[in-house]
Amino acid sequence: MKPWSIRNAVESDLDAIMQLENACFAADAWSRENMHFEVQAHHTVYLVAHLDEQLVGFAGLSKVPGNDQADIQTIAVSETQRGKGLGRDLMNHLLTDARRQLAYEVFLEVRADNEPAQKLYESLGFEHIDTRKRYYQPDDVDAWVMRLQFKQSSFGREPVVLGIESSCDETGVGIVRGSTLLANVISSSMDEHARFGGVVPEIAARAHLEALKPTLNQALATANLSLQDIDAIAVTNGPGLGGALMVGVGAAKALAVALEKPIYAVNHLVGHVGVDILERGKLETPTIALLVSGGHTSLLLVRDLLDDVELLGETIDDAAGEAFDKIARVLGLPYPGGPEIDRAAIGGDPKAIRFPRGLTLPKDMEKHRYNFSFSGLKTAVARWVEVAEAKGETYNKADVAASFREAVADVLVSKAINACLAYGVPRLLLGGGVVANARLRELATERCAENGIELRIPALSLCTDNGAMIAALGAQLIMAGRQPSSLHFGADSTLPVTTVQSL
Amino acid sequence: MPITLAIDTSAGTSVAVLRGGELLAELNNDYNMKHAEGIGDAISQVIAAAEIKPSQIKTVVVGRGPAPFTGLRIGIAAAIMFSEGVGARLFGVVSLDAVAREALINREIASQVSEEKPLLVTADARRSEVYWALYSGISKSGAPICVEGPAVIKPVALEELLAGRGLQPIRSEAPVRAAQLAKVLDAQLVDGQATDDVTALYLRAPDAVPSPGKKVSG
């Protein structure tokens, strides 16, 4: 999680801005009048970064409508916060804005003796194109003029991006044009895992290899495109099952090299959040996102899809989907457990048995307010059933299924709603395969309505793991002017949500 | 002349580009991990070193192993997607064949090898086992002639098996070179033995047993 927060500057920030301006640029600092004018101007974007209510950085961009060039006017980071990524974060925000305003190129000037800053700009795609002699006075230092040109392929029209997903047991290939879904093809190895009662990583990885080519070709056929129409490749590089991720990563890199197109390595969980763009054209932020699947149970606070995703909490043991699988087995139901429990719960009384709600006691609230735990629940249900069976009692399976499901849905929805209220975020987005669960959707709908929270549940084909969400996130990165990933990123099974793109 | 891209990740990573039979560029990294990190750069660098465009590649050949799981898949996945990307034909070759060819193009070795005194090629299969295959010679066009294997076995059991048959093979366990993989394919094409089967030769089932479900209370 980034320790600072970034927002647009307002007039009342001026005192703090000038204080930092004078501290950073002493001899050639701007005047207050000058700064005031730029912060207020219509053709500029000024951002401020705060840490513990202290202003620790600011940056400004100028972009005149109708002109396809933009200028980074200034950037300052307080001495205590240098080398921590704040400068890059501010720059990325400004470049995203330049891109949104349809800039074609961005210019900046930097002191010839400021190598750290030059390195930062180079890593963002800027090139040194000119030198202005003795530009900085009275220090008598040259200025480098640097320029970033946004890729032609992402300029003037929406990029066509092919996304590859292989983090668990679904091989997904999706194709989008900008924010428009063109194809979403999924090949699942679920049936092969059924007799093991859960996803077997090696089986999943083997299945990905076999599914790659048919899934790719079906996606191209659905979109009515050939590979020559693709502008960029996006691929999930984590989090997920290592061996499974590597198949997608190897495949995506080779495809990018073959097509001579850029590649974007993106975060699977952030993909689940970004998928909403394919249905609504954009992601409303801030939003709380609850992602629930066989592999993940995560609660996120998303202030900005590309720059500010914070993990509020996650499961400390089993994922919610795993709990469904395990309880299905206890009840003698097949894999995958989610739909089976849903079916078994029909007509059951969700209040028949009060199963425990993990990490909801007051003592858990400090450390685990937004974390989840399902292993205690799983044990409680299994024990309840075993005791009943040992006594030779007959029990109502529908009641057990309904009560278990209620406990899971209750914890998930309660914590998500609490996060919305605590952070003052009036939106909740659901994602992940467990969203298929009827009771979870029902309870989320009820509780959101009670609390005036807008609920978003994308279509199920976009909630389960899929390549379209990966393509969509890749397209967002391109449209924001982000540089492609290098070819040497790896698969990271524990990739944090704060890493939206791996360079 | 047709250009071929050869990829093998059965142990390390080896990538080569050949025009006709002529090697234009080869990259070998014998480190047997980090295949996913390295595969993109490896292909891209070899293509650059060969001074060709990806789209000039008309044939892709990949080593099918045998190999332990993870790394092997990355090369095969890359080969499948690369061939789709440039519209090239895709072939699979047993990786041990490339090692056998490297030994058998040495005339001195080739002259000693026969069905009675075969060439034994082995490779590390981890878990204290080896992959192995026996070759009786090399075809006129240059394809190694495999008479047994590939299979996986404990080294002790392999020695017992060879001793039991009274075989004292010539041995090779050199690393796989992608250039040799391409040359095996060329020879197999001439011999009518080439295959477009690129399925991975794991030679082991996944480690998983169906769960009987366990009790939680005593």
Side-chain angles (χ1 to χ4, degrees):
Chain A
M1 163 192 171
K2 286 168 187 155
W4 53 77
S5 62
I6 293 178
R7 60 166 170 78
N8 286 312
V10 292
E11 206 168 352
S12 59
D13 293 318
L14 198 58
D15 287 340
I17 288 175
M18 282 314 296
Q19 208 175 341
L20 186 57
E21 171 79 9
N22 288 318
C24 288
F25 303 112
D28 51 0
W30 289 3
S31 70
R32 186 185 172 89
E33 293 66 40
N34 207 342
M35 185 70 79
H36 188 190
F37 174 81
E38 296 295 348
V39 169
Q40 294 283 84
H42 286 296
H43 67 277
T44 64
V45 178
Y46 268 71
L47 301 173
V48 285
H50 282 86
L51 178 66
D52 301 332
E53 293 174 26
Q54 283 283 319
L55 184 126
V56 289
F58 68 88
L61 173 97
S62 157
K63 165 74 175 68
V64 177
N67 185 340
D68 56 14
Q69 298 175 339
D71 285 289
I72 303 288
Q73 291 187 312
T74 184
I75 176 165
V77 171
S78 79
E79 203 164 353
T80 55
Q81 295 305 312
R82 287 179 199 160
K84 296 180 181 171
L86 175 55
R88 173 180 298 274
D89 202 13
L90 284 165
M91 284 295 293
N92 268 331
H93 274 85
L94 289 184
L95 293 177
T96 300
D97 206 86
R99 197 68 207 85
R100 281 190 190 129
Q101 294 189 56
L102 298 178
Y104 169 58
E105 46 191 7
V106 182
F107 292 86
L108 62 78
E109 282 133 17
V110 57
R111 285 173 69 110
D113 57 1
N114 189 353
E115 202 184 322
Q118 292 160 8
K119 286 268 181 303
L120 167 64
Y121 302 144
E122 277 168 1
S123 76
L124 292 165
F126 282 86
E127 291 171 302
H128 177 193
I129 56 162
D130 197 7
T131 302
R132 293 198 178 139
K133 291 289 176 199
R134 309 168 69 180
Y135 181 81
Y136 293 100
Q137 295 298 337
D139 297 353
D140 216 17
V141 171
D142 294 349
W144 277 21
V145 179
M146 300 185 80
R147 178 182 63 190
L148 167 69
Q149 288 185 308
F150 290 119
K151 286 271 180 293
Q152 282 291 339
S153 64
S154 65
F155 182 70
R157 68 183 176 88
E158 296 186 304
V160 177
V161 182
L162 182 138
I164 299 176
E165 152 67 31
S166 71
S167 67
C168 190
D169 62 340
E170 335 259 11
T171 313
V173 177
I175 303 173
V176 304
R177 176 179 283 116
S179 305
T180 309
L181 178 66
L182 301 182
N184 181 21
V185 177
I186 297 163
S187 164
S188 175
S189 59
M190 187 156 65
D191 294 345
E192 296 174 55
H193 304 283
R195 69 195 179 99
F196 301 102
V199 173
V200 179
E202 176 62 20
I203 292 176
R206 290 185 180 194
H208 285 308
L209 186 58
E210 281 159 30
L212 272 179
K213 187 171 156 179
T215 312
L216 171 73
N217 286 329
Q218 204 187 325
L220 289 166
T222 307
N224 200 17
L225 293 175
S226 86
L227 280 171
Q228 272 56 48
D229 300 315
I230 304 295
D231 294 315
I233 310 295
V235 62
T236 305
N237 77 318
L241 303 170
L245 287 166
M246 286 179 209
V247 176
V249 168
K253 286 180 177 178
L255 190 56
V257 174
L259 299 173
E260 300 181 83
K261 298 294 182 187
I263 187 166
Y264 289 79
V266 305
N267 187 302
H268 173 84
L269 290 175
V270 181
H272 273 301
V273 178
V275 78
D276 201 30
I277 290 169
L278 296 177
E279 288 195 338
R280 286 209 290 194
K282 63 181 232 183
L283 179 75
E284 295 281 352
T285 52
T287 185
I288 297 289
L290 173 65
L291 307 179
V292 203
S293 69
H296 305 281
T297 307
S298 307
L299 197 56
L300 312 180
L301 167 57
V302 184
R303 295 189 190 91
D304 183 287
L305 183 67
L306 304 187
D307 290 307
D308 196 346
V309 182
E310 182 183 336
L311 180 70
L312 298 178
E314 60 189 334
T315 182
I316 60 169
D317 41 56
D318 293 339
E322 273 177 292
F324 274 99
D325 294 338
K326 287 174 179 172
I327 294 308
R329 215 170 347 158
V330 167
L331 296 177
L333 302 169
Y335 173 89
E340 295 293 335
I341 299 258
D342 245 4
R343 240 186 313 269
I346 293 171
D349 176 6
K351 293 185 177 145
I353 312 150
R354 173 78 192 180
F355 287 126
R357 269 66 167 162
L359 301 181
T360 56
L361 297 174
K363 69 180 168 71
D364 298 319
M365 279 299 106
E366 194 176 330
K367 215 174 137 195
H368 294 298
R369 177 173 293 269
Y370 300 118
N371 283 339
F372 302 94
S373 167
F374 296 104
S375 76
L377 168 62
K378 182 189 71 189
T379 307
V381 178
R383 191 180 291 269
W384 192 94
V385 170
E386 279 172 23
V387 168
E389 282 172 351
K391 288 185 192 160
E393 294 172 1
T394 54
Y395 61 90
N396 185 338
K397 200 181 270 190
D399 282 351
V400 177
S403 299
F404 160 72
R405 187 180 67 165
E406 190 68 11
V408 176
D410 183 22
V411 170
L412 290 171
V413 173
S414 299
K415 294 206 173 206
I417 299 278
N418 285 347
C420 288
L421 298 176
Y423 287 90
V425 173
R427 287 174 209 95
L428 174 62
L429 172 72
L430 302 189
V434 176
V435 169
N437 191 282
R439 183 58 189 154
L440 176 63
R441 289 204 307 270
E442 207 173 87
L443 202 58
T445 308
E446 274 171 29
R447 302 251 180 101
C448 281
E450 283 166 17
N451 289 283
I453 294 165
E454 183 195 5
L455 178 67
R456 281 294 303 161
I457 309 179
L460 191 59
S461 60
L462 295 176
C463 277
T464 52
D465 291 350
N466 66 85
M469 68 185 194
I470 301 306
L473 183 51
Q476 291 299 310
L477 288 165
I478 293 167
M479 291 190 285
R482 298 300 160 85
Q483 294 298 299
S485 302
S486 69
L487 274 177
H488 41 263
F489 63 86
D492 183 348
S493 56
T494 59
L495 187 72
V497 291
T498 44
T499 305
V500 177
Q501 180 193 2
S502 298
L503 294 170
Chain B
M1 290 293 268
I3 295 184
T4 299
L5 171 70
I7 301 173
D8 188 278
T9 56
S10 58
T13 297
S14 182
V15 180
V17 169
L18 297 89
R19 182 187 282 124
E22 181 203 355
L23 180 62
L24 297 184
E26 186 177 35
L27 184 149
N28 293 300
N29 176 358
D30 291 335
Y31 186 49
N32 64 5
M33 290 173 77
K34 304 242 175 211
H35 298 91
E37 283 84 341
I39 192 70
D41 280 322
I43 298 173
S44 159
Q45 284 166 16
V46 168
I47 288 172
E51 297 180 348
I52 58 158
K53 300 281 282 176
S55 56
Q56 288 175 262
I57 292 168
K58 299 296 174 216
T59 304
V60 176
V61 57
V62 66
R64 299 171 57 198
F69 316 162
T70 304
L72 175 64
R73 272 193 287 269
I74 292 160
I76 297 177
I80 291 171
M81 291 308 242
F82 193 95
S83 65
E84 289 296 305
V86 298
R89 291 200 302 169
L90 178 63
F91 296 94
V93 163
V94 176
S95 301
L96 299 178
D97 286 4
V99 181
R101 188 188 137 89
E102 190 145 11
L104 292 168
I105 50 172
N106 179 324
R107 285 202 184 150
E108 200 179 324
I109 295 177
S111 66
Q112 295 170 36
V113 169
S114 66
E115 211 148 325
E116 291 71 39
K117 191 172 183 62
L119 174 73
L120 170 67
V121 176
T122 54
D124 183 10
R126 305 206 187 148
R127 303 181 190 182
S128 311
E129 290 188 315
V130 292
Y131 295 116
W132 67 288
L134 289 177
Y135 297 84
S136 65
I138 189 163
S139 77
K140 268 189 190 146
S141 54
I145 301 160
C146 183
V147 288
E148 190 162 353
V152 65
I153 197 168
K154 296 260 184 234
V156 175
L158 176 60
E159 295 309 322
E160 284 171 7
L161 183 148
L162 294 169
R165 293 191 203 166
L167 290 177
Q168 287 184 308
I170 293 172
R171 293 164 188 258
S172 175
E173 51 173 351
V176 179
R177 292 290 172 247
Q180 290 297 347
L181 210 61
K183 290 182 178 180
V184 172
L185 172 68
D186 282 346
Q188 288 179 339
L189 285 167
V190 172
D191 295 351
Q193 299 287 322
T195 173
D196 59 3
D197 184 355
V198 295
T199 51
L201 297 169
Y202 303 109
L203 307 187
R204 285 188 190 124
D207 293 325
V209 282
S211 168
K214 63 173 195 281
K215 286 215 170 290
V216 293
S217 49

